[in-house]
Amino acid sequence: MRRVRRRACYEGVQVCADNQEVVDRSELVIIAVRRQDRHEALADLRVDGDRTVVNVMAGVAGDDLRRILDTDAPVVRAIPLPSVRERRSVTATYPSHPAVDALFEYLGGVLPVADEAAFDVHSALTGTLTTHYSYLATLTSWAVGHGVAPDDADRYIRGLFRGAGRALSDETRTLRQLAADHETPNGNNERIRTTWFDPANSEALGRALDGLLLSLR
């Protein structure tokens, strides 16, 4: 019943009997299972060579997936982020493929990268998203600890960083230039940047990313 209800909610959606039927009826086959579940989930799945496989599993190389599926079909890695639902996310792909790149261009933009090593670097960068949200949550908690009402602190932090985030749309300015645009010499922003996000903090972040990158390769 649940599958029928879901189908009724979305015009044009068809429910197949199993994964094999989905593959057989698709031109682009998106593999989006958890990395640790890939062998069990993809066992006995047949993918003909005239299909194109889109691999969105972090840390699973294209050749690895091709061996699991025992196929000579093109395999393209991609890193779609949640904001593709709003068509606002740039998706890294490797190798470049016209059909796959067209799909992600439609969903907010595509960034074909030069090689799989560069793709892994982009994959590691996605591991910083929740740290950003936790940073904002920490700022909110700090304000609450100093007597600000929780709802007011939450609203103010969201507004503060929503406004700052819009500046990212100006691609004529580098990220360092944008930082300078928001900073007064010897002002409050410079003080926090230089006393908290100091070279040691920056190096620690780099080491954490290096460790993640190593696990993805």
Side-chain angles (χ1 to χ4, degrees):
M1 290 295 294
R2 182 179 301 173
R3 296 169 70 188
V4 172
R5 286 197 298 270
R6 286 177 178 173
R7 179 174 57 187
C9 290
Y10 300 98
E11 184 179 355
V13 170
Q14 299 179 6
V15 177
C16 296
D18 53 28
N19 287 338
Q20 187 61 58
E21 185 181 357
V22 172
V23 170
D24 293 342
R25 298 177 64 176
S26 300
E27 296 179 7
L28 291 178
V29 180
I30 299 176
I31 305 297
V33 300
R34 295 185 304 174
R35 173 171 52 176
Q36 61 269 32
D37 296 334
R38 65 189 185 279
H39 293 286
E40 179 181 358
L42 303 177
D44 301 323
L45 195 64
R46 302 184 311 278
V47 179
D48 292 338
D50 59 349
R51 305 296 194 268
T52 299
V53 178
V54 182
N55 172 18
V56 301
M57 295 182 289
V60 179
D63 287 343
D64 182 12
L65 180 57
R66 192 176 286 106
R67 283 191 296 270
I68 294 171
L69 296 175
D70 190 24
T71 183
D72 58 0
V75 174
V76 180
R77 298 184 69 184
I79 315 173
L81 300 175
S83 49
V84 296
R85 75 186 76 178
E86 301 168 356
R87 300 179 188 175
R88 297 175 60 184
S89 175
V90 174
T91 299
T93 61
Y94 174 78
S96 181
H97 185 283
V100 178
D101 290 351
L103 169 65
F104 289 114
E105 185 65 45
Y106 176 75
L107 294 175
V110 64
L111 179 63
V113 299
D115 51 46
E116 201 147 31
F119 183 90
D120 287 335
V121 172
H122 287 77
S123 184
L125 289 173
T126 67
T128 64
L129 281 174
T130 58
T131 300
H132 175 69
Y133 289 118
S134 294
Y135 168 73
L136 302 185
T138 299
L139 296 180
T140 303
S141 296
W142 177 86
V144 171
H146 283 74
V148 177
D151 288 348
D152 290 345
D154 184 273
R155 183 183 180 191
Y156 187 74
I157 291 297
R158 288 175 185 267
L160 180 65
F161 284 89
R162 186 183 296 118
R166 281 195 289 270
L168 294 173
S169 298
D170 182 3
E171 296 184 6
T172 67
R173 308 286 289 166
T174 68
L175 294 177
R176 293 193 184 279
Q177 287 173 329
L178 289 178
D181 291 344
H182 289 77
E183 190 171 274
T184 301
N186 299 315
N188 295 344
N189 277 277
E190 183 183 281
R191 178 171 179 170
I192 296 299
R193 178 179 59 79
T194 57
T195 58
W196 178 69
F197 198 60
D198 57 12
N201 192 317
S202 180
E203 290 172 8
L205 176 58
R207 288 194 300 272
L209 285 167
D210 286 342
L212 176 57
L213 180 60
L214 184 63
S215 71
L216 290 170
R217 289 179 167 169

